[in-house]
Amino acid sequence: MTPIHFAFSSTFMLGLAGLAFHRAHLLSALLCLEGMMLSLFIALSTWTLEFNSTNFAMSTMILLAFSACEASAGLALLVAMARTHGTDSLQSLNLLQC
């Protein structure tokens, strides 16, 4: 494994570990998801450039568009949660009360 691939895979794993183990606030979970998506974007872009493949060049833009949509939906949920519950703490959520 080259150092570049190791860096991308460790960045993705750090984001995944942060999402799995540090779920105190919704904002920290959203930041971990964004870090994972950006590491996937950079890895896919690097992979496309390494193999000089123009077939996958559009997939990086699609991934970036989905990442932007995911970020906007997450921020909308964050604002809605802050308005209804007064905090973004995930411990204050009770999904059985919906």
Side-chain angles (χ1 to χ4, degrees), residues 23-95:
R23 291 179 288 169
H25 297 282
L26 182 62
L27 186 60
S28 64
L30 290 174
L31 285 174
C32 289
L33 281 173
E34 280 300 312
M36 289 169 56
M37 289 298 286
L38 285 176
S39 70
L40 283 176
F41 171 72
I42 293 172
L44 192 61
S45 299
T46 306
W47 182 64
T48 305
L49 288 175
E50 275 181 12
F51 294 116
N52 291 330
S53 174
T54 58
N55 296 335
F56 296 110
M58 195 61 183
S59 64
T60 57
M61 293 300 127
I62 292 171
L63 181 71
L64 197 60
F66 281 133
S67 176
C69 292
E70 177 256 333
S72 65
L75 287 177
L77 286 173
L78 179 71
V79 168
M81 185 177 165
R83 284 184 180 173
T84 57
H85 296 288
T87 182
D88 72 332
S89 177
L90 293 177
Q91 303 297 330
S92 67
L93 283 181
N94 189 1
L95 295 178

